[in-house]
C-alpha cells in the first residue's frame, strides 16, 4: 500500500472474489453464476437502452420497482433497487449498525459480512455454526445486535425455514434482522411474505443467480417503508444513480420473462441433484444444499487438493482457506454437460 493510505484501513482484510479466468476453455464452477445467458429479449432491451446512455438513470428505478413490487405482492415503497445485492447489504451495515449496535452473523457464511463491518467501523460478533453447519437458534435469539443471515447460507447451502426466521425476528424486536436471500430461488422459502408482520425485517435478493444477470450488478432490498427510507438515505449519501440505465432495462425485461427464468432454475436444481447423487456414489460427504452449488468433502482428498487437481483438468471450483472448512469445497452447478465433465474429472483424480 502507499504511504498515503488511511491508517484506519491499513489492517483491512478485503473480500476475495472467485477467480475470473481469461481462458475460455476452463469450466467455471467457482462463482455460483448461472450457466445460462439471460432470458430471450433481455440483451435486445439492453442494446436499445444503450442509445440513451448520455442521460442519467432514474435514481429510484421507478419502472423496475413497480414491476418487481407487483411480482412480490408489495408496494413500491417497500423496495429499493441497488447495484447488486452487495450494495444493499453495505447500506444495511451503514444504516443499522454502530458502536452501540454491533453486527452479528455466523462464523461460516458470506465472506463479505466481516469486510462490510470493518470498513464501516462497526463492531461485530461471529456465532459459530454447529458441527452439522446448522444455525444455533438459541444463541441468535439472545445476540443483541443487527443480525445478518444468508438463507440459504453460503458456502454450506443449508436453509432455515420461515418459522425459524420468525423465531429470530420475534427475539429481536428492537434490532433489524437482515435475511440475505441470494440463493433463495433454488429451494428455500423467502421471508418476503413476512414483511407486513415484522417491522424489523429486511430481505435482500439479487438478479445475479436465478436471473442470469451477474454481469450487470442488480439487486434489491425489501422491507417496511421506514427501513427502505433509511437505505435510501444511504444511497443518496453515497451514489444516487446507483443502478445504471442498462441494469434497469435488463431487470424489467427479465421480470417480463419470469417463466423462462423459473424453467432454467428447475434445470439447475435437476443438475444439482444429479451431481449430488454421483458425488455421493464416489464417497463424498455433501450438505443438503438448497442453493445453486454443492458443499462437499472427500475423506481421501483435502479441499485444496481437489481444487488444484480439478484445475489441472480445466475445471474451477471454490476452496476457502478457513480452519473449520479447509477440507470442504464449493462446487457451482452448471449445465448437465459441465457436471458430467466434473464427474469424469473426479473419477480420474480418485483413480490416480
Amino acid at each position: 500500500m502507499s504511504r498515503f493510505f488511511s491508517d484506519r484501513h491499513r489492517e483491512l482484510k478485503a473480500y476475495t472474489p472467485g477467480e475470473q479466468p481469461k481462458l475460455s476453455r476452463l469450466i467455471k464452477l467457482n462463482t455460483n453464476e448461472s450457466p445460462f445467458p439471460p432470458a430471450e429479449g433481455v440483451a435486445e432491451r439492453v442494446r436499445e437502452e444503450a442509445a440513451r446512455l448520455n442521460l442519467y438513470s432514474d435514481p429510484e428505478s421507478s419502472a423496475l420497482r413497480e414491476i418487481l413490487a407487483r411480482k412480490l405482492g408489495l408496494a413500491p415503497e417497500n423496495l429499493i433497487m441497488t447495484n447488486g445485492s452487495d450494495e444493499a447489504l453495505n447500506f444495511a451495515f451503514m444504516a443499522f449498525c454502530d458502536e452501540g449496535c454491533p453486527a452479528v452473523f455466523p462464523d461460516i457464511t458470506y465472506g463479505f459480512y466481516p469486510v462490510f463491518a470493518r470498513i464501516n467501523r462497526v463492531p461485530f460478533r461471529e456465532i459459530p455454526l454447529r458441527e452439522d453447519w446448522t444455525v444455533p437458534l438459541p444463541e441468535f435469539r439472545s445476540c443483541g445486535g443487527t443480525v445478518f443471515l444468508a438463507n440459504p447460507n453460503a458456502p454450506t447451502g443449508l436453509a432455515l425455514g420461515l418459522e425459524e426466521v420468525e423465531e429470530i425476528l420475534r427475539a429481536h424486536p428492537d434490532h433489524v434482522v437482515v435475511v440475505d436471500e441470494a440463493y433463495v430461488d433454488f429451494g428455500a422459502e423467502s421471508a418476503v411474505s413476512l414483511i407486513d408482520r415484522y417491522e424489523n425485517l429486511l430481505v435482500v435478493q439479487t438478479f445475479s443467480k436465478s436471473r442470469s444477470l451477474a454481469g450487470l450488478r442488480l439487486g434489491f432490498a425489501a422491507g417496511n417503508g421506514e427501513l427502505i427510507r433509511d437505505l435510501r438515505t444511504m444511497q443518496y449519501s453515497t451514489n444516487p444513480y446507483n443502478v445504471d440505465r442498462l441494469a434497469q432495462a435488463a431487470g424489467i425485461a427479465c421480470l417480463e420473462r419470469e417463466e423462462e427464468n423459473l424453467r432454467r432454475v428447475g434445470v439447475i436444481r435437476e443438475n444439482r441433484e444429479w451431481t449430488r447423487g454421483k458425488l455421493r456414489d464416489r464417497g463424498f460427504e455433501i450438505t443438503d444444499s438448497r442453493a445453486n452449488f454443492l458443499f462437499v468433502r472427500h475423506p481421501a482428498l483435502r479441499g485444496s487438493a481437489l481444487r488444484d487437481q480439478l484445475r489441472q483438468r480445466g475445471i474451477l471450483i471454490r476452496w476457502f482457506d478457513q480452519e473449520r472448512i479447509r477440507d470442504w469445497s464449493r462446487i457451482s452447478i452448471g449445465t448437465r454437460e459441465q457436471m458430467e465433465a466434473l464427474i469424469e474429472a473426479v473419477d480420474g483424480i480418485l483413480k490416480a
Side-chain angles (χ1 to χ4, degrees):
M1 63 186 67
S2 78
R3 62 188 178 91
F4 305 104
F5 196 58
S6 170
D7 286 341
R8 69 179 181 177
H9 294 317
R10 284 187 180 274
E11 303 303 318
L12 184 66
K13 296 180 181 178
Y15 175 72
T16 302
E19 180 183 357
Q20 298 292 334
K22 304 299 186 292
L23 303 175
S24 59
R25 68 175 182 273
L26 292 174
I27 296 176
K28 199 166 179 295
L29 304 178
N30 65 326
T31 49
N32 300 340
E33 299 146 317
S34 171
F36 304 114
E40 185 177 355
V42 173
E44 180 59 33
R45 190 75 64 87
V46 170
R47 282 192 291 269
E48 293 171 0
E49 191 63 29
R52 291 179 280 276
L53 287 180
N54 56 307
L55 303 174
Y56 283 114
S57 59
D58 173 7
E60 296 192 359
S61 304
S62 301
L64 174 56
R65 246 186 342 133
E66 288 275 354
I67 295 174
L68 182 58
R70 288 198 299 270
K71 176 186 180 300
L72 297 175
L74 300 173
E77 56 264 29
N78 294 129
L79 293 170
I80 181 173
M81 307 306 301
T82 55
N83 191 306
S85 59
D86 286 338
E87 185 177 56
L89 292 168
N90 191 34
F91 286 167
F93 274 87
M94 296 167 67
F96 307 125
C97 304
D98 57 29
E99 291 77 7
C101 185
V104 184
F105 42 82
D107 65 331
I108 303 299
T109 190
Y110 185 28
F112 226 141
Y113 295 163
V115 179
F116 287 138
R118 291 187 180 106
I119 201 165
N120 288 301
R121 303 175 71 83
V122 168
F124 65 93
R125 177 186 171 202
E126 295 176 300
I127 296 178
L129 294 178
R130 297 189 180 103
E131 288 302 310
D132 63 359
W133 307 124
T134 57
V135 173
L137 291 177
E139 293 190 44
F140 274 92
R141 284 199 301 265
S142 58
C143 64
T146 300
V147 175
F148 291 83
L149 286 171
N151 196 45
N153 192 25
T156 67
L158 299 181
L160 293 169
L162 285 188
E163 68 284 355
E164 295 169 305
V165 173
E166 285 196 84
E167 188 175 331
I168 295 173
L169 285 164
R170 286 193 295 267
H172 294 80
D174 299 320
H175 297 285
V176 174
V177 176
V178 181
V179 183
D180 179 1
E181 296 185 342
Y183 304 101
V184 71
D185 293 331
F186 298 99
E189 297 178 278
S190 175
V192 165
S193 61
L194 303 178
I195 285 173
D196 289 341
R197 296 164 56 186
Y198 296 95
E199 65 174 349
N200 59 329
L201 171 62
L202 187 75
V203 178
V204 174
Q205 290 191 20
T206 179
F207 279 62
S208 294
K209 317 297 183 182
S210 60
R211 297 187 178 99
S212 303
L213 290 184
L216 267 182
R217 314 308 303 129
L218 182 61
F220 66 90
N224 77 69
E226 292 186 6
L227 290 185
I228 298 303
R229 282 191 290 274
D230 294 340
L231 299 188
R232 188 78 67 194
T233 298
M234 299 299 103
Q235 175 197 344
Y236 283 2
S237 299
T238 53
N239 183 16
Y241 304 102
N242 62 329
V243 181
D244 65 49
R245 301 186 72 90
L246 303 185
Q248 291 185 36
I252 292 170
C254 212
L255 291 175
E256 291 172 348
R257 295 156 177 81
E258 195 74 327
E259 288 187 7
E260 176 64 13
N261 297 322
L262 293 175
R263 186 190 69 78
R264 291 173 174 182
V265 165
V267 172
I268 291 170
R269 293 178 64 171
E270 289 174 3
N271 291 346
R272 180 187 68 200
E273 297 314 306
W274 181 88
T275 306
R276 189 198 306 274
K278 296 295 183 181
L279 290 176
R280 278 206 177 119
D281 290 344
R282 287 154 176 80
F284 280 84
E285 180 182 351
I286 308 172
T287 63
D288 183 21
S289 174
R290 304 299 179 89
N292 65 337
F293 57 82
L294 292 173
F295 193 51
V296 310
R297 72 173 172 182
H298 195 280
L301 282 170
R302 293 183 62 84
S304 57
L306 179 63
R307 175 202 60 182
D308 293 344
Q309 292 185 51
L310 282 174
R311 199 183 197 291
Q312 293 170 11
R313 291 164 169 78
I315 300 174
L316 299 181
I317 64 171
R318 190 77 189 267
W319 174 74
F320 300 91
D321 191 10
Q322 293 175 251
E323 183 62 33
R324 291 189 68 191
I325 57 174
R326 197 161 282 146
D327 289 335
W328 292 76
S329 301
R330 191 192 70 192
I331 303 174
S332 303
I333 301 302
T335 63
R336 180 60 61 89
E337 292 74 19
Q338 289 174 327
M339 306 322 289
E340 289 172 349
L342 169 75
I343 297 303
E344 181 179 353
V346 166
D347 284 341
I349 293 169
L350 294 177
K351 291 175 183 176

